[in-house]
Amino acid sequence: MFGLIVRKELREILGTPRFAATFGVVSLLIVLAFYLGARNYGHARTQHEAAVAENLRQMEGLTDWLQVKPSISLPPQPLASLVSGISNDVGRNVTVMGLGTLRASQSRYNEDPVLAVFRFMDLDFIFRVVLSLFAILFAYDLVSGEKERGTLRLALSNAVPRSTWILGKLSGAVGALTLPLLVPLAIGGLLLVVNRVPMQSGDWLRLGLVVLAGLLYVAANLGVSVMVSALTHRSSTSFLVLLVLWILAVLVLPRSAVLLAARSVAVPTVDEGLSQLGRLRTQLWAEDRQAIDTFLQESMSGEPESPEAAASIVGRFNQFFQQRSEARSQALEAFEARLTEQRANRQMAQERWAFSLARLSPAAAFSIAATGLAGTALDLPRQFIDQARAYQEVFERFQKEKTGGRSSGGIQFAIRVASVDGEAPKEEAVAIDPQELPAFEFRAPSVAAVLHRTAFDLALLMLFNVLFFAGAFVAFLRYDVR
Amino acid sequence: MLRVLIEKEWKAVLLSPKFALTFAVAAALILLAVGIGIREYWAFESQQAAAQHLLAEEHLEQTSWSDLGSQVFRRADPLQIFVGGVHNDIGRLARISPRQAALLEQSIYSDDSILAVFRTFDLSLVVQAVLSLFAILFTYDAVNGEREAGTLRLILSNAVPRAHFVLAKFVGTGLALAVPLLLPVLLALLAVVLAEVPLDGSHWLRLMLFLLASGLYLTVFMAFGIAVSAITRRPSTSFLILLVSWVLLVLVIPRVGLLVAVHRVPVPTVAEIESQKAGFETRLRANYRRNLEDTWVVRQRAMAGLDAVDRVAYEDANLWRWLEEDDAARMQLETELERHTSRLDETLRHRKAEQERLAFSLSRISPASAYRLLAMRLAGTGVALKTRYEAAARGYQHTFARYVEESSGGGAGMMVRRRGGGHTGSFMGAREPLDLSAMPSFQAPREDAAMIAAVPRELGLLAIEALACFAMAFVGFLRADVR
Amino acid sequence: MQLDNASDRDNASELGSVPDLGSVPGPGPATNPEPLLQTIELTKRYEDGVLALDRLSLEVAPGQIYAMLGGNGAGKTTTLNLFLGFIEPTSGEALIDGIATHVDPLRAKERIAYVSENVALYPQFTALQNLDFFVRLGGRKSLDREQLSTALDRVGLQREAHNKRLKGFSKGMRQKCALAIAILKDAPAILLDEPTSGLDPKAGMEFTHLLGELRDEGKAILMSTHDIFRAKQIANRVGIMDRGRLVAERERHELAGEDLEALYVRYMAGPSEEVACLA
């Protein structure tokens, strides 16, 4: 009996022109998203590598590692081209100086606002907006439509328990709408392979989970549609109600949640931090300048008697200067770390607020899960800047090693001592080898960490499914079939 | 006769069960969107004002002309309340320094990424996505619904020209949808006025044009809905066609157009360009330094053999010439740098413009894109916002550099020349705060005329699309089988 | 239910038995031979090749009721569609008051009122709103509520239903509204498509009465029907149609001595069922 109902439901959905049309559109979109995502990734990869190479090339001819301020950038991630999240909104490039605040700048959208006008079409968008709408389109009249056509009366005039009937319908509808999606998704996966997108096994797993989350989300939409359909008696009413719910869940609730959170948890602006930092720097620098002046006054009371004396003065000065600047940079770093932490804490609080509110909408839960899995969620800028800081330390050590521990305060002193006979002491300038520069590698978080973070949202999606399906079930048991 | 039909359409919409719910949702969304817009407007203004204030404080503590920098802050535009455009995506300030190109940086979305997760919400989005959906919802069964119900036969059994029937559908439904929406729109405008958002004449004009464009855009969808319902036999069919078309037109085509354009016209990243610029500059400066050293060697050599007194006399005699020579060399360096920089920038701008053109012309097939582009252009929050501000920032950069040069008495204090070997004065210049009262202020760029100039074309496009749909409805219905 | 005179009430009580012709308000004398509704060699072949109407010629004069009898696919509805100008004739013409419907459909339609089979009105409007709309659409300047209500009274719709939305109306109630619309339009000709199908006997009886009244006011009435009894009861002339052709035509007085049912069955026998399925 159950099998019969499932088969009927499958045939009823799969055989309609409505299925052919929507499935065609969706397949096209999914394949297109994969194809363009892969091409886009390849293109971004080339561009990234070119930029890195160009960076190194520009260092050729330099003679001093102190002149080098490597610019590191966030390499394109294979999954980010499929689920872009906020990867286009965060700064991609960091200029690493020996010291000081690192700031990622030049987000893709800032650089190319054209892209921001319409944004990209990624899997997140296709599932969250397009497929959810189509799920509603298929399920809004699952119960009320049969009632209107009169087939429900006929069916239930047989010895069919209502529970069997609704369970059959639900499973048939879920099967009919989710299983066919696997075809374009598989083709998409194939396109990734063909286009030689370097997907690690971890990436495949994460992509698989994104798809799973997507299917769960589509099923949740089906569930809610059947539920509403079993609560109303006219299919036009149920569609209207579902459309309004869809608008609220997809367009309104997530955005309002964030804005509400932004209002209730104030985060200090970046400017404030920068300004405080700048003021501290000026103050420390003024103090140091005082000290340096005193030092110079004391040690350079007259013309140095000999080049050796001059050299010793320069040596002592450099040592002194180094000490001061190191102390200064330490103080600044500590201060900055405190500021950053404060801001990060506030941001986390805001995020918790916003997300726990937004998660009332399955669309938001899916989006959070998908971007989390793809590594393009809010952690991305934090991870990038953390790794950039780690690189900063590596680079600083490297610089010190290369320059024999000379000042790394970002300022260099070359006190030219013109000799009396007019011959400038020509330093033997040796070009540096840019290849020695330590490379920056962005490490995406491990699969385990990602799973740990997104488990909650995946569970939430399942919970939505359970709730909606149970709701549909109960609603149908009490449905007035007259 | 026509009036009777129009009146009936109008009543039919207002009395239909879906009207109350959709109207409530639409009204709530309009008010919510504008409310959010007003809040974001003032939040942005105060953020920028605070940043400006902090900058001014920093300036007060500045003691050296050489590291005097400035920042240019983007001002909020009142119309961003209605059309956010790329406002949140592009930087909100540009740092002005002699060395670096003035580029907008620190976008709201990169500073506060959480806002980027779900993006924000504005009136143009409500119109573009939600109201267009409602327009379809009210028209998908306009003709074939009446045919299925049988009322069409009854109507046409009277001496009613078919054209009148379609026209009445159009006008009646349009009025029934537009007039009630005026209420929340007026309330929203009132809220904007009460929130003391400074709107001048040009703003009002552009705002009205934006509302006009919104009306026209919704008309396109209404006409499209009526056309499809006139061509197809069953409401369920027309509904499916319309919903799929809506998904394609509103959600897909704009994005696909963009993806294709990105694919076809690759644009070098700023990182690439900056790296090229930096490399060129490093080489040029190294060259310049070597030349300077060589010059000095030559000059010192010329003084070789002179005793101390003659030396000073010689130096005094030639100093002015030397300084002029050095200055000229420096100027040449700057010019060359600038030329190279502007050439690179020009190329980049060119490529971007090309990409933009392709992306937009591809996506303009969809009225949703045409509407969005028009709305952004009217509100001044389109892609041009960035170019406009960066051009202004570049202009200000020159003014500022000139000001610094004049105020510091030339040379910008970059070269500390040691004369005779003795260390004079303190390390690195004076320590008194600078007198910055004469510092030029940055004027936010406005291009109202250009914004409005672009309107007729885009409005025309929407009008043509509406007319085409209307013609389709017309022809479709005149040939329709009403049995 | 308020009927106008006692004799009507008597008729209502006779339900169940086959009413004799005399109990219906007497048909007017066959006076004016000038037809108001007329088809001349009217032929319709659809795009798919089906010949729906084959050289049909019939006439309905003012004060006459013409009943087209026939099974599904006999061409009754096609005839009405041609009168309404919804389709174009392949050859021949349908004339209303001498105006060919495919030449000047609008002027022709000013002269007819139409009551469709399963009367469709706007469910979200009240009976009065529907009436107001369609009457004005029919070219009458707007009537006041009282006039509209009076018309609804005349067709026998209870007062309390006048301001109810059409949503919950039964078929009979909707048909009363449609008749009220037709009455108020005051067109010289009335076209009725299966007016009695799906009505309960009482409603059918009332309907027949009203139709008789309208005939007596001088309307030319053309109706399509399956209902032999009603046709026999009220029509001045009955045409039996089969597969697009008029196979038999009987005047009222001819019917008196003839078994219409037998006649109908005779003509309808044979392959007509298959044709019906095709159509």
Side-chain angles (χ1 to χ4, degrees):
Chain A
M1 186 72 80
F2 178 74
L4 183 71
I5 296 168
V6 173
R7 269 204 304 282
K8 170 245 152 201
E9 200 60 35
L10 279 174
R11 197 171 307 131
E12 197 179 343
I13 291 180
L14 297 183
T16 52
R18 130 165 106 167
F19 181 79
T22 47
F23 182 68
V25 169
V26 169
S27 305
L28 192 73
L29 290 186
I30 291 179
V31 171
L32 205 65
F34 270 95
Y35 174 71
L36 291 172
R39 298 303 296 255
N40 214 343
Y41 170 78
H43 177 231
R45 183 96 229 165
T46 335
Q47 219 170 22
H48 173 74
E49 276 158 10
V52 170
E54 178 69 14
N55 240 318
L56 290 181
R57 209 171 61 75
Q58 300 296 356
M59 283 174 211
E60 280 168 17
L62 292 186
T63 51
D64 194 343
W65 279 106
L66 284 180
Q67 290 173 313
V68 174
K69 282 187 214 159
S71 164
I72 57 176
S73 53
L74 184 62
Q77 306 288 308
L79 282 182
S81 54
L82 295 175
V83 183
S84 24
I86 61 163
S87 60
N88 291 316
D89 293 289
V90 298
R92 292 181 293 174
N93 299 314
V94 171
T95 303
V96 179
M97 288 168 290
L99 276 178
T101 327
L102 291 186
R103 261 215 342 268
S105 61
Q106 290 154 2
S107 72
R108 191 153 186 215
Y109 282 151
N110 180 24
E111 218 179 289
D112 260 331
V114 187
L115 308 182
V117 172
F118 299 118
R119 315 203 182 277
F120 288 100
M121 189 180 62
D122 59 354
L123 282 184
D124 176 33
F125 175 80
I126 291 177
F127 271 107
R128 186 164 46 90
V129 181
V130 181
L131 276 172
S132 61
L133 199 57
F134 283 163
I136 290 175
L137 186 64
F138 274 99
Y140 78 95
D141 61 350
L142 229 49
V143 175
S144 46
E146 290 228 28
K147 177 178 168 169
E148 276 173 349
R149 288 196 300 271
T151 45
L152 185 62
R153 287 166 65 91
L154 193 59
L156 291 184
S157 69
N158 296 305
V160 185
R162 283 191 177 203
S163 54
T164 313
W165 172 257
I166 187 69
L167 282 180
K169 272 189 97 71
L170 284 172
S171 358
V174 170
L177 287 190
T178 52
L179 297 181
L181 283 183
L182 295 177
V183 177
L185 286 168
I187 295 175
L190 208 63
L191 281 175
L192 292 185
V193 177
V194 170
N195 281 291
R196 283 195 284 280
V197 176
M199 297 274 286
Q200 314 290 324
S201 57
D203 291 335
W204 284 113
L205 180 61
R206 280 157 47 183
L207 181 60
L209 285 171
V210 169
V211 169
L212 176 71
L215 295 182
L216 277 176
Y217 171 64
V218 171
N221 274 288
L222 273 177
V224 84
S225 304
V226 177
M227 185 169 94
V228 171
S229 162
L231 286 170
T232 52
H233 289 277
R234 293 185 33 183
S235 53
S236 60
T237 316
S238 62
F239 185 77
L240 190 66
V241 171
L242 284 167
L243 195 66
V244 169
L245 286 179
W246 181 83
I247 289 171
L248 290 179
V250 174
L251 294 176
V252 181
L253 184 63
R255 293 160 202 252
S256 320
V258 168
L259 293 167
L260 204 69
R263 172 173 263 187
S264 47
V265 183
V267 172
T269 63
V270 179
D271 309 304
E272 282 169 41
L274 284 178
S275 161
Q276 281 174 342
L277 202 64
R279 210 153 330 145
L280 182 67
R281 185 181 294 119
T282 321
Q283 186 196 332
L284 291 177
W285 180 227
E287 283 166 17
D288 281 3
R289 207 153 47 184
Q290 199 84 45
I292 290 167
D293 269 353
T294 325
F295 178 88
L296 286 177
Q297 232 99 57
E298 281 165 11
S299 55
M300 295 171 78
S301 39
E303 191 82 2
E305 296 85 44
S306 63
E308 292 79 41
S312 99
I313 290 174
V314 169
R316 268 190 295 138
F317 174 77
N318 268 346
Q319 204 179 359
F320 173 75
F321 190 82
Q322 177 120 17
Q323 267 171 12
R324 296 295 304 198
S325 66
E326 257 167 31
R328 194 174 64 235
S329 65
Q330 264 161 21
L332 278 174
E333 250 168 52
F335 183 69
E336 191 203 340
R338 210 165 59 239
L339 278 182
T340 316
E341 203 188 318
Q342 269 171 10
R343 188 170 144 81
N345 283 341
R346 302 292 289 176
Q347 270 181 329
M348 296 278 228
Q350 199 182 45
E351 191 182 319
R352 258 197 311 279
W353 250 93
F355 282 3
S356 35
L357 215 64
R359 278 188 179 111
L360 284 176
S361 147
F366 165 69
S367 208
I368 295 170
T371 51
L373 286 165
T376 50
L378 282 173
D379 310 336
L380 180 68
R382 290 197 278 265
Q383 282 155 1
F384 179 45
I385 212 75
D386 283 348
Q387 295 191 22
R389 264 195 212 109
Y391 178 77
Q392 185 181 28
E393 278 164 29
V394 172
F395 176 67
E396 198 187 347
R397 266 203 305 283
F398 169 78
Q399 215 176 22
K400 270 196 185 134
E401 200 177 286
K402 279 289 164 191
T403 55
R406 267 192 293 154
S407 147
S408 57
I411 299 174
Q412 32 170 328
F413 289 91
I415 296 183
R416 194 183 2 253
V417 183
S419 62
V420 185
D421 60 359
E423 279 294 330
K426 281 241 166 156
E427 272 180 53
E428 215 32 68
V430 180
I432 58 171
D433 178 9
Q435 299 303 331
E436 288 178 50
L437 185 75
F440 172 72
E441 299 260 352
F442 180 75
R443 286 181 314 281
S446 70
V447 177
V450 164
L451 271 183
H452 179 70
R453 240 194 318 273
T454 50
F456 178 73
D457 286 298
L458 287 174
L460 195 64
L461 280 175
M462 283 185 214
L463 181 70
F464 276 125
N465 271 302
V466 170
L467 275 181
F468 292 151
F469 282 99
F473 188 76
V474 172
F476 185 72
L477 290 189
R478 316 159 118 223
Y479 193 63
D480 182 0
V481 291
R482 278 173 300 157
Chain B
M1 191 73 74
L2 189 59
R3 237 197 59 213
V4 180
L5 280 167
I6 291 173
E7 208 174 289
K8 172 236 142 194
E9 286 308 327
W10 149 273
K11 269 197 237 151
V13 171
L14 293 190
L15 289 173
S16 76
K18 54 192 165 189
F19 180 77
L21 185 58
T22 44
F23 175 70
V25 171
L29 288 184
I30 289 173
L31 291 174
L32 182 70
V34 173
I36 288 173
I38 292 175
R39 212 188 81 80
E40 286 193 348
Y41 171 82
W42 281 120
F44 186 72
E45 277 290 83
S46 66
Q47 184 182 7
Q48 296 293 68
Q52 189 129 36
H53 184 69
L54 292 174
L55 177 71
E57 278 185 359
E58 271 174 46
H59 275 162
L60 282 184
E61 291 164 20
Q62 280 288 346
T63 52
S64 143
W65 288 107
S66 62
D67 31 295
L68 180 66
S70 187
Q71 287 173 21
V72 159
F73 295 97
R74 192 153 60 77
R75 289 290 306 271
D77 188 302
L79 288 188
Q80 80 185 42
I81 292 172
F82 305 95
V83 189
V86 297
H87 158 72
N88 283 323
D89 295 287
I90 62 174
R92 54 190 180 78
L93 56 88
R95 285 171 215 284
I96 303 293
S97 77
R99 294 298 184 76
Q100 246 140 24
L103 295 175
L104 286 179
E105 50 186 302
Q106 284 185 260
S107 69
I108 298 214
Y109 281 158
S110 67
D111 273 2
D112 291 309
S113 312
I114 188 165
L115 296 176
V117 176
F118 300 117
R119 315 265 157 205
T120 57
F121 195 70
D122 62 13
L123 187 58
S124 68
L125 180 80
V126 173
V127 173
Q128 193 199 345
V130 181
L131 295 189
S132 63
L133 202 55
F134 287 168
I136 283 177
L137 206 59
F138 277 95
T139 51
Y140 77 95
D141 61 350
V143 178
N144 54 17
E146 292 221 29
R147 177 161 56 207
E148 221 174 46
T151 43
L152 186 61
R153 278 175 76 87
L154 200 52
I155 287 180
L156 291 182
S157 74
N158 292 300
V160 176
R162 287 191 178 196
H164 281 198
F165 179 76
V166 179
L167 197 63
K169 275 279 168 208
F170 198 69
V171 177
T173 316
L175 283 178
L177 294 184
V179 174
L181 281 183
L182 283 181
L183 184 71
V185 168
L186 285 178
L187 277 179
L189 291 183
L190 189 69
V192 171
V193 172
L194 287 181
E196 293 176 349
V197 175
L199 289 162
D200 61 22
S202 151
H203 288 136
W204 280 110
L205 175 63
R206 279 151 52 200
L207 190 54
M208 289 307 134
L209 283 170
F210 162 67
L211 292 178
L212 177 71
S214 305
L216 208 50
Y217 168 70
L218 294 177
T219 307
V220 172
F221 272 94
M222 243 177 50
F224 186 47
I226 293 175
V228 174
S229 85
I231 289 169
T232 53
R233 272 198 89 78
R234 293 180 42 206
S236 59
T237 315
S238 58
F239 184 61
L240 178 71
I241 292 177
L242 283 167
L243 204 64
V244 171
S245 314
W246 180 84
V247 168
L248 289 176
L249 290 178
V250 175
L251 302 176
V252 177
I253 289 178
R255 289 161 197 256
V256 172
L258 175 67
L259 282 176
V260 172
V262 169
H263 200 224
R264 292 293 297 271
V265 186
V267 169
T269 61
V270 170
E272 245 174 292
I273 298 279
E274 287 301 308
S275 160
Q276 279 174 21
K277 279 188 205 164
F280 183 78
E281 184 174 352
T282 315
R283 279 197 296 277
L284 209 63
R285 282 197 188 279
N287 211 5
Y288 163 74
R289 245 192 331 271
R290 234 183 340 268
N291 284 345
L292 200 63
E293 270 171 29
D294 291 348
T295 319
W296 273 100
V297 168
V298 171
R299 286 173 192 165
Q300 296 280 357
R301 209 174 269 147
M303 289 189 288
L306 297 177
D307 64 26
V309 179
D310 288 347
R311 215 182 161 85
V312 170
Y314 184 83
E315 272 190 1
D316 283 346
N318 287 300
L319 188 59
W320 190 245
R321 190 171 52 81
W322 289 348
L323 282 178
E324 274 186 342
E325 277 173 15
D326 292 355
D327 225 32
R330 194 170 58 79
M331 292 292 268
Q332 199 199 341
L333 167 86
E334 301 289 339
T335 331
E336 240 171 279
L337 264 181
E338 194 152 309
R339 200 176 312 132
H340 183 255
T341 304
S342 60
R343 203 172 56 237
L344 281 179
D345 286 345
E346 195 53 43
T347 326
L348 184 65
R349 266 201 295 280
H350 219 75
R351 299 288 288 177
K352 275 189 182 172
E354 200 180 325
Q355 192 185 54
E356 186 184 325
R357 245 195 324 275
L358 184 62
F360 288 172
S361 49
L362 280 177
S363 60
R364 254 199 206 101
I365 304 167
S366 146
S369 319
Y371 167 68
R372 193 171 167 75
L373 292 174
L374 173 59
M376 290 195 311
R377 187 155 294 162
L378 275 172
T381 49
V383 179
L385 177 62
K386 182 174 149 87
T387 18
R388 190 163 71 235
Y389 259 95
E390 287 189 344
R394 272 196 301 279
Y396 181 73
Q397 191 176 21
H398 288 296
T399 323
F400 187 76
R402 217 170 26 251
Y403 161 72
V404 169
E405 192 154 322
E406 279 162 13
S407 310
S408 62
M414 296 289 282
M415 289 163 40
V416 181
R417 241 168 51 76
R418 210 160 62 82
R419 249 185 95 191
H423 181 83
T424 49
S426 77
F427 179 73
M428 276 194 155
R431 239 165 291 162
E432 291 80 45
L434 305 174
D435 174 24
L436 295 173
S437 54
M439 188 154 87
S441 62
F442 174 72
Q443 289 299 322
R446 276 185 71 164
E447 285 173 13
D448 295 7
M451 289 172 195
I452 295 171
V455 170
R457 197 175 63 131
E458 307 268 353
L459 269 184
L461 191 66
L462 282 175
I464 287 170
E465 280 169 336
L467 280 178
C469 288
F470 187 55
M472 190 162 83
F474 215 68
V475 174
F477 185 61
L478 289 189
R479 303 179 43 183
D481 184 358
V482 295
R483 281 171 295 154
Chain C
M1 192 61 44
Q2 293 158 4
L3 293 177
D4 292 344
N5 54 48
S7 73
D8 290 339
R9 206 165 290 126
D10 293 342
N11 287 326
S13 67
E14 282 179 349
L15 284 171
S17 67
V18 179
D20 74 24
L21 291 168
S23 66
V24 177
T31 45
N32 192 357
E34 194 65 36
L36 193 70
L37 296 171
Q38 186 181 18
T39 64
I40 302 168
E41 298 278 301
L42 190 61
T43 305
K44 176 68 187 176
R45 187 182 286 278
Y46 286 116
E47 292 79 14
D48 53 8
V50 174
L51 185 62
L53 213 54
D54 191 4
R55 288 168 315 207
L56 174 77
S57 294
L58 57 81
E59 294 178 355
V60 190
Q64 279 201 327
I65 295 178
Y66 190 111
M68 292 186 285
L69 267 178
N72 292 325
K76 302 179 312 256
T77 307
T78 303
T79 311
L80 292 181
N81 278 336
L82 283 161
F83 268 117
L84 289 165
F86 291 166
I87 46 180
E88 304 251 307
T90 311
S91 69
E93 52 187 5
L95 301 170
I96 300 174
D97 204 6
I99 304 159
T101 52
H102 64 284
V103 177
D104 192 353
L106 293 187
R107 220 152 62 81
K109 284 194 274 191
E110 280 171 5
R111 290 158 172 76
I112 49 171
Y114 167 66
V115 178
S116 57
E117 178 184 357
N118 199 352
V119 174
L121 295 166
Y122 292 100
Q124 70 267 41
F125 289 171
T126 64
L128 283 173
Q129 281 173 327
N130 267 299
L131 219 57
D132 178 55
F133 167 61
F134 280 107
V135 168
R136 286 165 68 195
L137 203 63
R140 290 287 299 260
K141 292 293 157 259
S142 54
L143 301 166
D144 59 35
R145 287 177 70 86
E146 211 32 60
Q147 284 168 296
L148 297 176
S149 273
T150 312
L152 286 174
D153 287 341
R154 179 174 174 200
V155 297
L157 191 73
Q158 290 105 317
R159 275 268 165 172
E160 53 265 37
H162 292 192
N163 274 314
K164 288 235 171 70
R165 293 194 179 191
L166 265 271
K167 257 184 214 166
F169 277 29
S170 68
K171 190 188 163 184
M173 290 164 89
R174 279 184 283 140
Q175 185 154 44
K176 283 173 182 168
C177 293
L179 269 174
I181 291 169
I183 290 170
L184 284 173
K185 187 174 176 182
D186 200 21
I190 300 175
L191 303 178
L192 299 148
D193 197 357
E194 305 284 358
T196 53
S197 76
L199 291 188
D200 64 52
K202 184 157 169 274
M205 194 67 207
E206 284 164 14
F207 169 76
T208 320
H209 260 282
L210 203 57
L211 217 55
E213 281 177 37
L214 289 172
R215 175 191 55 200
D216 294 346
E217 286 169 18
K219 311 278 188 209
I221 298 171
L222 175 64
M223 60 189 273
S224 77
T225 185
H226 301 291
D227 191 336
I228 298 169
F229 298 109
R230 298 274 175 226
K232 194 173 173 181
Q233 180 184 19
I234 197 165
N236 295 77
R237 186 182 285 181
V238 175
I240 298 176
M241 295 181 70
D242 181 38
R243 278 171 284 171
R245 277 174 300 123
L246 190 62
V247 290
E249 202 172 41
R250 293 289 185 275
E251 286 293 327
R252 182 180 182 76
H253 60 267
E254 293 174 290
L255 285 172
E258 202 170 354
D259 185 353
L260 184 58
E261 195 173 4
L263 190 72
Y264 179 73
V265 172
R266 194 170 74 236
Y267 280 110
M268 302 306 293
S272 71
E273 281 305 303
E274 289 133 58
V275 176
C277 291
L278 282 175

